[in-house]
Amino acid sequence: MAIKHFLQLSDFTLDEFNYVMERARIIKRRFKEYQTYHPLLDRTLVMIFEKNSTRTRLSFEAGMHQLGGAAIYLNTRDSQLGRGEPVEDAGQVISRMCDIIMIRTFGQDIIERFAANSRVPVINGLTNEHHPCQVFADVFTYIEHRGSIKGKTVAWVGDANNMLYSWVQAAQIFDFHLTISTPKGYEADEARLPVSRTNFTFFDHPGDACQGADLINTDVWTSMGYEDENVARLKAFAGWMVDSEKMARARPDALFMHCLPAHRGEEVSADVIDGPQSVVWDEAENRLHIQKALLEYLVIGKVTEPG
Ligand code: CP
Ligand code: NVA
């Protein structure tokens, strides 16, 4: 049977997302009640980081421990991955010694080549092209606060980066509308957008993308790996800061999200990210609960035990 990976959101069906979210609700409640739950006893997660991380490392490592398993951290600085060992060989070797693997790397092609050579499931912990764990946790967070996301309007204000492309996939899977505003020269790559545009509207002016939105989303203007472009980006993105004026164009009960880390005074003003509509800390916490449910699903499949 083919191994199930989670390399981008489109790898899962809506039914699978709904199942994993239901498990996440149960696992979260148990965690809050200090209940021991060890379905992954004696199982091992290997985490490979080729870029920095706080939330992703912490949530996967803590999550695996909380599920009764162990997590091993590898990075390119002190493993053979940084010395040119072929990705295919690394996939073969690492996957013979553990039950599941999480990778944060550069190109999506790297994680795909690794997964093609892996005997165990591989999870994308962020690539240049996608950040599926974050957007899954964000959709879960929206539903926790406001109920179903189906039919809602989600605004994306800022860079056409990994987060946006995962939101594009989420819009199709969960059937909501995505309004997108990116500065000139930083637009989404047409080739990476779906042929059917029924779930998307593009706006030249960021405020217009926020009009009537149920959720406003942004992210850093310079993602990891693009630091050389920082000066040019600061200039190009001026005007794309999510501030109280843009929030005022959304629905009164609109939420604000940011995957973090954030730069106050660049992509978001301090009064918005620290204000009452912001759910950024819930998004961060939900990485833990969603990923624990994802680890459980990918390692042992569907469970039937009572909630
Ligand atoms: N949002 C997120 O993935 O954060 P880290 O880069 O800290 O893992
Ligand atoms: N778009 C950002 C997300 C960080 C979690 C980056 O790739 O750096």
Side-chain angles (χ1 to χ4, degrees):
M1 210 179 74
I3 298 160
K4 183 107 204 143
H5 301 295
F6 188 62
L7 306 184
Q8 46 187 306
L9 288 175
S10 58
D11 287 342
F12 274 31
T13 63
L14 179 60
D15 280 351
E16 286 179 301
F17 282 113
N18 284 334
Y19 167 78
V20 176
M21 286 197 284
E22 193 45 42
R23 292 299 302 159
R25 282 179 203 110
I26 293 166
I27 287 170
K28 179 172 183 174
R29 197 197 65 229
R30 287 179 162 169
F31 174 75
K32 300 278 181 191
E33 292 171 354
Y34 297 97
Q35 283 186 36
T36 301
Y37 180 56
H38 285 170
L40 301 188
L41 195 68
D42 292 336
R43 305 299 187 111
T44 307
L45 163 72
V46 169
M47 306 182 296
I48 301 168
F49 282 91
E50 300 208 88
K51 291 177 176 171
N52 291 32
S53 170
T54 297
R55 278 145 288 266
T56 303
R57 177 178 177 183
L58 185 57
S59 51
F60 271 107
E61 193 164 335
M64 197 62 191
H65 284 295
Q66 290 161 16
L67 293 172
I72 296 173
Y73 172 78
L74 290 180
N75 64 39
T76 22
R77 279 186 302 282
D78 50 27
S79 71
Q80 298 290 4
L81 286 163
R83 297 182 61 250
E85 180 164 18
V87 167
E88 290 78 5
D89 294 3
Q92 290 285 350
V93 172
I94 294 169
S95 70
R96 288 183 183 221
M97 303 189 194
C98 65
D99 300 280
I100 187 157
I101 297 165
M102 184 245 92
I103 308 181
R104 168 168 287 195
T105 187
F106 293 88
Q108 185 75 9
D109 62 306
I110 298 174
I111 200 167
E112 277 168 10
R113 281 161 53 210
F114 189 104
N117 286 277
S118 175
R119 290 186 166 194
V120 300
V122 177
I123 298 174
N124 182 349
L126 181 146
T127 55
N128 292 347
E129 288 86 353
H130 296 284
H131 198 1
C133 292
Q134 181 69 55
V135 174
F136 187 13
D138 293 349
V139 168
F140 180 74
T141 304
Y142 183 87
I143 295 168
E144 272 191 334
H145 281 270
R146 295 284 183 266
S148 174
I149 198 166
K150 187 176 166 145
K152 296 287 166 67
T153 299
V154 176
W156 179 267
V157 174
D159 190 22
N161 63 13
N162 41 16
M163 283 293 297
L164 170 61
Y165 289 112
S166 286
W167 274 105
V168 163
Q169 293 193 348
Q172 292 178 289
I173 296 162
F174 293 95
D175 195 16
F176 56 81
H177 200 82
L178 194 60
T179 60
I180 302 170
S181 180
T182 52
K184 277 213 170 4
Y186 295 89
E187 296 91 351
D189 179 357
E190 291 279 327
R192 294 187 48 211
L193 293 172
V195 182
S196 159
R197 296 291 157 84
T198 45
N199 288 84
F200 314 98
T201 313
F202 296 87
F203 292 92
D204 291 337
H205 298 288
D208 294 343
C210 300
Q211 190 67 42
D214 296 285
L215 167 64
I216 298 184
N217 237 301
T218 191
D219 186 14
V220 291
W221 291 341
T222 306
S223 286
M224 291 181 280
Y226 298 84
E227 289 80 2
D228 291 352
E229 302 175 12
N230 195 35
V231 174
R233 282 171 172 270
L234 278 175
K235 219 166 129 193
F237 282 77
W240 265 261
M241 180 197 294
V242 176
D243 53 16
S244 51
E245 225 171 277
K246 293 188 187 65
M247 287 302 298
R249 293 189 63 177
R251 288 173 55 93
D253 66 346
L255 299 176
F256 170 77
M257 287 193 185
H258 188 310
C259 67
L260 305 175
H263 299 86
R264 289 168 176 77
E266 291 185 18
E267 73 274 7
V268 60
S269 62
D271 61 333
V272 168
I273 193 168
D274 299 319
Q277 289 167 283
S278 171
V279 290
V280 295
W281 314 130
D282 293 339
E283 290 176 78
E285 180 191 325
N286 280 334
R287 292 287 303 277
L288 174 70
H289 310 303
I290 277 290
Q291 287 163 197
K292 283 168 75 176
L294 186 63
L295 287 165
E296 180 193 62
Y297 177 58
L298 289 175
V299 175
I300 59 178
K302 286 195 177 181
V303 296
T304 51
E305 50 108 30

